[in-house]
Amino acid sequence: MDVKKLAEEIKSSFQEELKNFENGNLNFEDLKNKFLGRKGLVADAFSQMRNFTDKALAGQILNSLKNELTEKVNSLTENTSSAKTKKLDLSLPGRKPNAGTLHVVTETQRQIEDIFFAMGFEMATGPQVETDFFNFESLNFPPDHPAREMHDTFFVEGDVLLRTHTSNVQIHAMKSQEPPVRVIAPGKCYRNDTPDATHSPVFQQIEALYVDKNVTFTELKGTLDAFVKALFGKATKTRFRPSFFPFTEPSAEVDVTCVVCKGKGCNVCKQTGWIEILGAGMVDPNVLEAVGYDSEIYSGYAFGLGIERVAMLKYGIPDLRLFFQNDIRFLKQF
Ligand code: FA5
């Protein structure tokens, strides 16, 4: 077989198909595949190599055919893409970029912060990796005190641990300033708790602390009632249950009406109609003395609330684990 003739035939067939392509009767991929594809005419010519008498010459001719067609095809891609740009239809509606939103827990945190800022509280912060002293001892939890059992946590090494509550910030705040102190401190906390509808091993709290002359339990009740009504609406009720925290005396757990069932009882509130959102109390005089405040002159209240629990109530979310699963369908609702 004459390789030159074969190459000429392929070239003229390419010219024919090029016209079809330019007329819009053949698409680019089909044109390219017909000549340069794995099963295209050029590859087919190469596969007939053993039939050509002068194989070296045949190789040269077919290689230069392949290069020539590849160049032509490549120049077509450039032309077509610039042709496409020219045909850009500016009247088409644009593609909307997917704007992110704040996570519902962050959103809730900011709402809570705004309510307390409006009442005159300031922002305070403290470390998440903390020493036993700030997380427990200075808050009146002696070593081996049974109250530590409910705060089983993750130990880093020695007496360094991941804080179990934001109450450590009470100590940092009081050590760094004289009364009056009126601060809130949001942040992550860690406990060796089994995840369920209302618990997670990592969760967030907001601590509040107010120390001054003549601060009373009545003020604590009034502040919390005003806060709950500002966040959940005027109809929301609060319930104070006697409780124990080593660093407050007296102490209370504060519940609000379950918004999922409106107080009737469901699996979120464990059929009680109430959901616990925070622990509170009057700062124990021992704590005030430990930071160098005179407990005869000063008194104060403190409370710590779970932000996820508040977000669940506010938005009627039945399971706390939804916050961490990152399901975009869930997150987009807020
Ligand atoms: C405390 O942590 C105290 N530090 C609160 C406090 C501060 C009392 C100041 C007095 C004065 P408690 O262990 O009850 O208390 O937790 C407070 C809130 O954190 C709970 O009401 C709950 O809303 C939230 N919380 C606790 N553990 C978890 C958890 N594993 N997952 C999600 N939220 C939790």
Side-chain angles (χ1 to χ4, degrees):
M1 183 186 282
D2 184 347
V3 68
K4 274 191 194 155
K5 203 170 153 209
L6 179 62
E8 285 310 318
E9 273 172 19
I10 294 176
K11 258 196 238 177
S12 66
S13 159
F14 181 81
Q15 292 306 334
E16 286 295 308
E17 294 292 31
L18 195 57
K19 278 183 209 145
N20 286 335
F21 167 74
E22 279 162 355
N23 295 338
N25 294 330
L26 182 70
N27 73 35
F28 176 75
E29 283 308 313
D30 288 344
L31 174 74
K32 186 175 170 185
N33 282 338
K34 178 166 179 182
F35 293 93
L36 296 167
R38 253 184 338 117
K39 291 181 181 160
L41 292 177
V42 174
D44 186 51
F46 273 108
S47 72
Q48 296 175 39
M49 192 59 89
R50 65 190 141 78
N51 301 330
F52 304 129
T53 35
D54 186 343
K55 294 191 176 53
L57 179 70
Q60 265 176 25
I61 291 173
L62 292 182
N63 271 328
S64 81
L65 171 72
K66 188 179 171 188
N67 291 342
E68 190 183 327
L69 296 191
T70 306
E71 231 168 76
K72 284 192 173 152
V73 164
N74 285 348
S75 75
L76 286 179
T77 355
E78 278 160 27
N79 293 341
T80 24
S81 59
S82 66
K84 266 189 201 150
T85 325
K86 277 181 208 139
K87 280 188 199 150
L88 183 69
D89 183 354
L90 294 175
S91 67
L92 285 172
R95 284 194 203 119
K96 237 184 165 177
N98 233 339
T101 54
L102 285 179
H103 192 279
V104 57
V105 173
T106 313
E107 182 67 50
T108 309
Q109 178 182 329
R110 296 201 180 167
Q111 288 172 17
I112 299 169
E113 286 169 6
D114 286 345
I115 295 170
F116 288 115
F117 289 155
M119 292 185 194
F121 285 80
E122 284 169 9
M123 182 70 104
T125 53
Q128 293 177 32
V129 181
E130 188 53 289
T131 58
D132 186 280
F133 175 78
F134 283 98
N135 196 80
F136 292 124
E137 273 212 69
S138 59
L139 288 162
N140 221 12
F141 288 84
D144 303 320
H145 191 282
R148 287 190 179 216
E149 216 176 310
M150 267 141 27
H151 289 236
D152 187 13
T153 185
F154 305 92
F155 284 83
V156 179
E157 72 180 358
D159 72 343
V160 179
L161 46 86
L162 298 186
R163 70 174 176 194
T164 57
H165 50 179
T166 42
S167 299
N168 64 330
V169 188
Q170 288 189 30
I171 307 299
H172 289 286
M174 288 192 283
K175 272 180 168 283
S176 66
Q177 70 184 95
E178 289 300 313
V181 180
R182 199 204 290 253
V183 291
I184 54 165
K188 286 202 186 73
C189 305
Y190 306 83
R191 286 188 201 177
N192 190 4
D193 282 348
T194 308
D196 64 18
T198 53
H199 291 84
S200 159
V202 184
F203 59 99
Q204 311 215 49
Q205 288 187 341
I206 291 191
E207 191 81 7
L209 171 72
Y210 177 35
V211 180
D212 202 350
K213 288 175 186 156
N214 304 319
V215 177
T216 64
F217 195 82
T218 318
E219 267 178 88
L220 169 64
K221 284 196 88 169
T223 304
L224 284 177
D225 193 54
F227 159 66
V228 163
K229 288 190 160 59
L231 192 68
F232 298 114
K234 288 207 169 78
T236 318
K237 290 189 187 137
T238 359
R239 178 172 86 165
F240 277 64
R241 278 180 292 115
S243 185
F244 172 79
F245 297 103
F247 43 97
T248 47
E249 181 61 38
S251 305
E253 300 273 7
V254 180
D255 303 336
V256 296
T257 329
C258 176
V259 286
V260 177
C261 63
K262 304 276 181 279
K264 288 195 200 86
C266 65
N267 71 331
V268 175
C269 59
K270 302 205 166 77
Q271 312 304 330
T272 62
W274 295 94
I275 186 158
E276 173 200 313
I277 56 160
L278 60 89
M282 300 305 291
V283 181
D284 194 296
N286 282 351
V287 176
L288 295 175
E289 294 293 338
V291 296
Y293 288 3
D294 187 341
S295 64
E296 295 291 324
I297 302 175
Y298 296 107
S299 58
Y301 65 70
F303 53 89
L305 62 86
I307 306 180
E308 288 86 358
R309 300 266 183 97
V310 170
M312 287 171 77
L313 281 172
K314 173 109 182 129
Y315 297 102
I317 296 162
D319 195 319
L320 181 145
R321 288 166 290 197
L322 287 164
F323 293 132
F324 311 112
Q325 285 164 354
N326 275 346
D327 185 331
I328 203 87
R329 290 164 302 180
F330 169 75
L331 296 173
K332 267 189 164 171
Q333 295 173 63
F334 308 100

